[in-house]
Structure formats: structure tokens, C-alpha cells
Amino acid sequence: MESTHCKIVVLISGNGSNLQALIDASVHSNFKIAAVISNKADAFGLQRAQRDDIPTAVVEHKDYEDRNEFDRALMESIDSYSPDLVVLAGFMRILGAEFVSHFRGRILNIHPSLLPKFPGINTHQRALDAKEKEHGVSVHFVTEELDGGPVIAQDRVKVSKDDTAGSLAEKVLEKEHLLYPKVVSWYAAGRLKLENNQATLDGSALPEGGVQVHP
Ligand code: GRF
């Protein structure tokens, strides 16, 4: 039975609420979390994994001379679990070209903005500063370009005049927790692919912005 499940490795750096959503969904879904790897030993997400007897590993960037060495160690750690898919969930390190090309087409990221708007950090404050009426979350394939790979799906929230960066983050996180397990299950079912740098679902190329969960 287990062999029919898609094996995923989740990479985290912090709280791991998206990891928790994946753990909870995996109980009734078509994927199984083979391991959780953090670049920070004190990431709370590691405790979430341990609570569910999911193997954990820590690969700390400060233990390596440079970015390439770190990337290689991380790659080896991930490969030791032979995952079908690598899932970045609040993983706060920029990954190099060798790493990205090694996992090309089998690595996803979740980003708290409606890409291509606001790649990088502080997305909620930047959305407020730009007076956006809508904000949201994107799940995308990881490519060499930071937060720039083909978008698979987005969900959105309304920005109200009382919103702060904190309240927006909360609203967006709620959407993240629903969207990420859904996209991972598409991949696990063999429905989602990266072909010629284009995300496809059920064999059809996805439009820019991907599937709009709530258009
Ligand atoms: C989320 O907003 C995610 O989109 C971003 O980092 C945050 C991680 O939150 N990449 P958590 O660790 O999953 O709670």
C-alpha cells in the first residue's frame, strides 16, 4: 500500500504551519511525508514532525564553508530518503543552480503573494504599501529564478482598510494551508508536471498564474 503513495520530503526553517497542514492531509491523501529537513535546529516544525514519528534532519548552513557546500549536503540528505517530490514550506534559504537543476520538475514552493507580484520577503507589508485590493498565495515549481518558477495555483484574499501585515499574513496562511496539500496531491496523482518550463495539469498547460482556486 505504501508504495502507491508519493514520498515527499518537506524543507522548513521555522514554525511549520504549512508542514502541519501537509501532515494532517497526508493521513487521508495520496502522499506520505518521508522526512522533514530544517536548516535551523530550533525550528518548531521539527517538533511537529517528531510528534508524528516523521524522521527529521537538520542541515545548518553555518556548518558549511559556502553556499555550494551547504546545497550539496542538503541535496545528499534529501536524496537519502529517495523522495518523489521535495516540498519547500517556509524554507528561508536561497538554493543554487546545481541544487535546483538536480530536483527540476520535482520541487515546489509556496509563496505568500500573488506572483509575479512581490517575490522575496515582507510580501504582506509590500501589498499594503502598494494599496492592493487583493493579495494571496501562490504555489509554484522551483526554478533558478527566486520565486519565479511557473505558478501552479493561487488563492486570494480581500485586503480591507483595517488590515495590517499581521492580519493579512493570518488570512493568507489560512488559504496556504488548504492550497498546498491540494497541489501536492495533484502531483502525487501524476496530474501535475513541469514540461518545457511550463506547468501542466492533466496534460494541459496552465495559464500564467496557474489554477485560480477562487477567481
Ligand atoms: C508561509 O507564509 C509561506 O508561504 C512562506 O513562509 C511562511 C511559512 O510559514 N514561504 P509556516 O512555517 O509554514 O508556518
Side-chain angles (χ1 to χ4, degrees), residues 26-104:
S26 70
V27 177
H28 302 291
S29 195
N30 53 359
F31 59 88
K32 179 179 161 55
I33 303 177
V36 172
I37 303 176
S38 174
N39 66 318
K40 290 195 172 167
D42 62 354
F44 179 64
L46 290 170
Q47 292 180 41
R48 298 180 188 268
Q50 283 152 6
R51 221 158 45 194
D52 271 55
D53 294 325
I54 297 168
T56 58
V58 175
V59 182
E60 290 205 86
H61 47 271
K62 60 176 165 41
D63 293 343
Y64 297 89
E65 257 180 32
D66 59 27
R67 173 124 76 90
N68 290 339
E69 292 295 312
F70 168 73
D71 277 9
R72 253 175 238 135
L74 185 60
M75 212 150 81
E76 274 174 28
S77 177
I78 296 169
D79 282 344
S80 73
Y81 298 100
S82 312
D84 302 299
L85 179 69
V86 179
V87 177
L88 307 185
F91 184 70
M92 301 303 284
R93 295 294 295 179
I94 295 175
L95 297 161
E98 189 186 335
F99 182 99
V100 170
S101 100
H102 181 73
F103 293 109
R104 196 172 179 78

Side-chain angles (χ1 to χ4, degrees), residues 159-204:
V159 181
S160 74
K161 61 175 179 20
D162 305 326
D163 268 320
T164 60
S167 68
L168 262 188
E170 258 176 53
K171 288 201 269 191
V172 171
L173 265 178
E174 260 179 54
K175 301 290 188 184
E176 295 187 32
H177 299 159
L178 297 174
L179 188 63
Y180 219 3
K182 190 191 301 248
V183 173
V184 170
S185 77
W186 292 345
Y187 188 94
R191 299 177 55 196
L192 176 66
K193 295 194 161 58
L194 181 68
E195 294 171 312
N196 303 321
N197 211 33
Q198 168 89 57
T200 64
L201 186 65
D202 300 327
S204 300

Side-chain angles (χ1 to χ4, degrees), residues 102-211:
H102 181 73
F103 293 109
R104 196 172 179 78
R106 47 192 187 105
I107 179 165
L108 306 180
N109 184 39
I110 190 159
H111 182 76
S113 79
L114 295 170
L115 291 170
K117 285 183 178 169
F118 314 123
I121 58 171
N122 297 331
T123 59
H124 308 300
Q125 189 57 51
R126 286 158 66 204
L128 287 175
D129 293 346
K131 305 206 175 344
E132 296 289 328
K133 294 197 165 54
E134 281 192 322
H135 184 45
V137 52
S138 306
V139 176
H140 65 94
F141 278 109
V142 174
T143 61
E144 285 74 12
E145 204 188 327
L146 179 67
D147 300 325
V151 175
I152 299 158
Q154 294 183 324
D155 199 356
R156 49 194 70 223
V157 300
K158 291 236 174 309
V159 181
S160 74
K161 61 175 179 20
D162 305 326
D163 268 320
T164 60
S167 68
L168 262 188
E170 258 176 53
K171 288 201 269 191
V172 171
L173 265 178
E174 260 179 54
K175 301 290 188 184
E176 295 187 32
H177 299 159
L178 297 174
L179 188 63
Y180 219 3
K182 190 191 301 248
V183 173
V184 170
S185 77
W186 292 345
Y187 188 94
R191 299 177 55 196
L192 176 66
K193 295 194 161 58
L194 181 68
E195 294 171 312
N196 303 321
N197 211 33
Q198 168 89 57
T200 64
L201 186 65
D202 300 327
S204 300
L206 289 171
E208 203 190 335
V211 176

